[in-house]
């Protein structure tokens, strides 16, 4: 029986879809959310829930925040982060991302990207997460286009530019 359990756990751990590691929210975006002074507004409640990894509650709070302020870039952006985080598999599950959460994250992040205007830092973060979401859907060419958009942004001191350039190169040569 114990050998069966070990084999089952090994299969769960090793049975990863392509690009699994790159599609995870392993960087600071999911955890390093804005620090606010309190938790009175729905947006602040959402951030607090996101920090505490209560993703269902974070989604609900950000949706309430968007009802109050539908054109809030930050609310759309962090709602997308919450959907992506909520869609990650648990350690005991097969390494498959939730299709519905990924689709919701893409729609939300695309709206955030439209609201980002000319702000290169907002645009960079949206493109970075959209690339991760597209990897989850096995849409490599769309992920590459988001990484390329980061490379092409005009700001000089972007966080993900060098990694995006590396990923564009790696994925274009493996296609």
């Amino acid at each position: 029986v114990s050998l069966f359990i070990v084999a089952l756990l090994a299969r769960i751990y090793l049975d990863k879809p392509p690009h699994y590691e790159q599609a995870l929210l392993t960087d600071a975006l999911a955890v390093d959310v804005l620090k606010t002074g309190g938790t009175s507004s729905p947006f602040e409640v959402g951030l607090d829930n996101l920090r505490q990894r209560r993703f269902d509650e974070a989604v609900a709070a950000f949706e309430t925040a968007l009802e109050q302020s539908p054109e809030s870039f930050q609310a759309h952006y962090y709602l997308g982060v919450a959907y992506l985080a909520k869609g990650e598999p648990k350690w005991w599950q097969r390494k498959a991302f939730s299709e519905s959460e990924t689709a919701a994250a893409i729609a939300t992040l695309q709206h955030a990207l439209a609201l980002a205007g000319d702000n290169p830092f907002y645009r960079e973060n949206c493109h970075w997460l959209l690339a991760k979401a597209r990897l989850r859907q096995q849409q490599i060419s769309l992920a590459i286009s988001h990484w390329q958009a980061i490379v092409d942004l005009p700001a000089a001191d972007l966080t993900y530019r060098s990694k995006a350039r590396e990923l564009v190169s790696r994925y274009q040569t493996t296609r």
Side-chain angles (χ1 to χ4, degrees):
V1 173
S2 63
L3 183 59
F4 173 76
I5 292 172
V6 169
L8 181 62
L9 289 174
R11 176 171 158 73
I12 289 170
Y13 180 74
L14 296 174
D15 192 18
K16 298 176 188 173
H19 323 293
Y20 175 79
E21 299 297 329
Q22 186 59 39
L24 286 171
L25 287 179
T26 54
D27 50 34
L29 283 175
V31 180
D32 187 25
V33 297
L34 291 172
K35 307 294 187 232
T36 61
T39 57
S40 58
S41 75
F43 178 74
E44 292 166 334
V45 169
L47 290 176
D48 188 53
N49 284 321
L50 193 57
R51 261 187 237 102
Q52 295 180 38
R53 305 186 62 77
R54 296 189 311 241
F55 303 125
D56 288 327
E57 293 88 347
V59 165
F62 290 128
E63 286 175 345
T64 300
L66 285 170
E67 289 172 9
Q68 295 174 358
S69 182
E71 298 305 308
S72 167
F73 165 81
Q74 288 86 358
H76 280 284
Y77 174 78
Y78 284 108
L79 178 58
V81 171
Y83 277 130
L84 283 178
K86 184 178 170 188
E88 290 196 341
K90 310 298 182 259
W91 69 269
W92 66 87
Q93 295 174 322
R94 183 177 175 275
K95 303 296 183 190
F97 297 99
S98 165
E99 292 177 23
S100 61
E101 303 299 341
T102 300
I106 288 170
T108 305
L109 289 166
Q110 285 176 329
H111 195 139
L113 184 61
L115 294 171
D118 293 333
N119 186 315
F121 303 104
Y122 286 176
R123 297 186 72 73
E124 175 191 36
N125 286 334
C126 288
H127 282 299
W128 187 253
L129 292 181
L130 283 164
K132 286 183 175 289
R134 293 305 187 176
L135 283 179
R136 292 178 181 194
Q137 295 180 322
Q138 306 301 315
Q139 296 177 338
I140 308 307
S141 61
L142 290 174
I144 291 170
S145 69
H146 286 293
W147 293 322
Q148 188 61 53
I150 293 170
V151 171
D152 295 341
L153 286 169
D157 55 344
L158 295 174
T159 305
Y160 298 108
R161 176 174 279 139
S162 63
K163 183 68 175 174
R165 188 176 287 120
E166 171 194 326
L167 290 168
V168 166
S169 176
R170 180 186 334 155
Y171 279 87
Q172 281 182 336
T173 58
T174 60
R175 292 176 75 197

